[in-house]
């Protein structure tokens, strides 16, 4: 009897090599950490979008923020969400990740096999970017920055109300309200949550520059002032001031004193983080999926195979295996600055003008 003919095993559509996540068939990388010929970029945070590649592909709404990070000389091509380009037979399309303006999941299709790279994502509502879209696939490469069951985010409107209440009460105490938030994405999300009727809003230069790009992309944000241009007679006790975390403890901050300081981040969920950073308040507001969000997103893809990068990989892999999925952790370098990739010691916005 003849042995049944078995199809030749296909090489994996993506694998990690020294430069990053590589699609050999299509000859391109997704968020490479070295200079390569073709880089498909999920979003403009610096742990995903690095300098020096010959050519970048990103989503249409993400071009301006990527350009701001890469400089005028970078060759950036853009496609709309849902639109596809073909590289050596691999069909590549970008789908909203709900993380920051222009953030994408990357869908690859080759001979009927579909892989999706999530990039950073969240399912929670955010008026500053296109909502996350579940994309069906065979293999899903997911982030797991907050991949532990303790991470559950409060509702966004509850956090917004808490921020505005805190601002009002600071006014009564004669304190300026300073909110530290990562300059790309988080700061604009906080801004969208602020009630501009309470008082004037001032921004650090790193934040104000990106606010302009968000507005140009059609995102509605309350009016802001560049703190650097403020006159000597400003009553700071009425104001809310948005600054990157790197401004904490800086000389730049002194002009606003006396102040009440706060930080908007998923890490504020952990007791002790606020105290360690010597902050008066912590607001739990993340641009990453919480534990239920990760599970919901993974389930919605229908993927039988899940690869986990970023953050708490092992607990998520274990949970998925216990629930009948094929899962494994993969090593990438998608963590660090400019978003909430690491709990402590981020060097985001270092060197940016105040
Ligand atoms: Zn990010
Ligand atoms: Zn990241």
């Amino acid at each position: 009897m003849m042995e049944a003919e078995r199809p030749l095993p296909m090489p994996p559509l993506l694998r990690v090599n020294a430069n990053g996540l590589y699609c050999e068939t299509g000859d391109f990388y997704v968020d490479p950490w070295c200079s390569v010929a073709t880089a498909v970029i999920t979003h403009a945070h610096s742990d995903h979008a690095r300098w020096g590649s010959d050519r970048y592909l990103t989503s249409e709404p993400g071009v301006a923020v990527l350009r701001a990070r890469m400089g005028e000389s970078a060759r950036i091509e853009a496609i709309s969400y849902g639109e596809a380009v073909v590289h050596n037979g691999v069909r590549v399309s970008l789908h909203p990740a709900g993380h920051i303006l222009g953030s994408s999941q990357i869908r690859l299709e080759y001979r009927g096999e579909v892989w999706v790279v999530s990039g950073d994502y969240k399912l929670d509502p955010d008026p500053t970017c296109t909502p996350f879209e579940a994309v069906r696939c065979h293999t899903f490469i997911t982030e797991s920055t907050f991949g532990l069951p303790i991470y559950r985010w409060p509702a966004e409107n509850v956090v917004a109300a808490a921020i505005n209440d805190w601002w009002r009460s600071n006014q009564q105490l004669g304190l300026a309200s300073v909110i530290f938030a990562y300059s790309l994405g988080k700061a604009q999300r906080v801004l969208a949550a602020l009630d501009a009727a309470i008082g004037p809003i001032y921004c650090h230069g790193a934040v104000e520059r990106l606010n302009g790009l968000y507005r140009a992309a059609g995102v509605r944000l309350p009016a802001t002032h560049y703190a650097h241009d403020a006159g000597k007679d400003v009553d700071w006790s009425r104001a809310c001031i948005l600054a990157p975390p790197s401004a904490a403890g800086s000389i730049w901050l002194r002009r606003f004193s006396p102040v009440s300081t706060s930080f908007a981040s998923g890490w504020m969920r952990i007791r002790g983080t606020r105290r360690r950073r010597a902050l008066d308040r912590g607001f739990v507001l993340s641009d990453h999926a919480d534990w239920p969000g990760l599970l919901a997103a993974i389930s919605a893809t229908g993927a039988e195979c899940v690869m986990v990068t970023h953050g708490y990989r092992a607990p998520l892999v274990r949970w998925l295996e216990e629930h009948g999925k094929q899962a494994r952790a993969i090593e990438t370098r998608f963590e660090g600055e400019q978003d909430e990739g690491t709990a402590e010691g981020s060097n985001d916005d270092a060197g940016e003008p105040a």
Side-chain angles (χ1 to χ4, degrees), residues 180-263:
F180 298 116
Y182 296 102
S183 60
L184 172 56
K186 183 62 64 61
Q188 291 72 35
R189 191 170 175 215
V190 169
L191 196 47
L194 291 177
D195 178 357
I198 298 172
I201 302 166
Y202 286 85
C203 293
H204 182 279
V207 172
E208 188 65 0
R209 193 164 67 106
L210 289 158
N211 294 344
L213 299 178
Y214 268 65
R215 290 192 184 100
V219 177
R220 284 183 55 185
L221 297 174
T224 52
H225 308 278
Y226 180 23
H228 189 78
D229 292 341
K232 294 260 177 270
D233 53 346
V234 174
D235 176 6
W236 293 112
S237 73
R238 293 196 59 247
C240 184
I241 299 129
L242 272 169
S246 56
S250 69
I251 295 167
W252 179 84
L253 206 63
R254 284 188 202 154
R255 74 192 73 182
F256 310 116
S257 65
V259 299
S260 179
T261 56
S262 70
F263 188 31

Side-chain angles (χ1 to χ4, degrees), residues 88-290:
N88 295 346
V90 180
R91 191 177 182 277
V92 180
S93 56
L94 311 184
H95 304 267
H99 174 60
I100 61 166
L101 179 64
S103 63
S104 305
Q105 305 173 75
I106 317 291
R107 180 188 187 275
L108 313 182
E109 183 180 344
Y110 183 69
R111 295 187 178 164
E113 189 176 339
V114 178
W115 287 46
V116 170
V117 183
S118 74
D120 293 342
Y121 67 94
K122 70 171 177 293
L123 279 60
D124 289 347
D126 178 348
T128 68
C129 64
T130 312
F132 176 89
E133 175 195 317
V135 181
R136 305 286 295 180
C137 57
H138 301 104
T139 299
F140 186 49
I141 301 182
T142 180
E143 63 127 322
S144 63
T145 304
F146 292 104
L148 282 178
I150 49 161
Y151 291 109
R152 280 159 206 271
W153 308 146
E156 203 203 26
N157 57 345
V158 172
V159 178
I163 294 173
N164 287 313
D165 287 347
W166 167 79
W167 182 8
R168 276 189 216 96
S169 72
N170 287 337
Q171 284 183 335
Q172 283 158 14
L173 297 167
L175 302 172
S177 301
V178 176
I179 306 177
F180 298 116
Y182 296 102
S183 60
L184 172 56
K186 183 62 64 61
Q188 291 72 35
R189 191 170 175 215
V190 169
L191 196 47
L194 291 177
D195 178 357
I198 298 172
I201 302 166
Y202 286 85
C203 293
H204 182 279
V207 172
E208 188 65 0
R209 193 164 67 106
L210 289 158
N211 294 344
L213 299 178
Y214 268 65
R215 290 192 184 100
V219 177
R220 284 183 55 185
L221 297 174
T224 52
H225 308 278
Y226 180 23
H228 189 78
D229 292 341
K232 294 260 177 270
D233 53 346
V234 174
D235 176 6
W236 293 112
S237 73
R238 293 196 59 247
C240 184
I241 299 129
L242 272 169
S246 56
S250 69
I251 295 167
W252 179 84
L253 206 63
R254 284 188 202 154
R255 74 192 73 182
F256 310 116
S257 65
V259 299
S260 179
T261 56
S262 70
F263 188 31
S265 169
W267 300 111
M268 291 296 121
R269 176 71 184 73
I270 298 304
R271 230 174 266 278
T273 311
R274 180 184 63 78
R275 236 179 308 119
R276 248 192 333 274
R277 289 183 173 233
L279 298 156
D280 300 312
R281 243 339 248 281
F283 298 110
V284 182
L285 191 69
S286 179
D287 285 333
H288 293 267
D290 61 1

Side-chain angles (χ1 to χ4, degrees), residues 50-64:
R50 301 189 199 234
W51 300 80
S53 289
D54 297 341
R55 166 172 179 240
Y56 296 92
L57 179 71
T58 196
S59 75
E60 193 67 63
V63 172

Side-chain angles (χ1 to χ4, degrees), residues 43 47-48 120 288 310 334-335 339 341:
H43 66 291
D47 53 330
H48 297 260
D120 293 342
H288 293 267
H310 226 294
F334 305 150
E335 20 208 322
D339 77 344

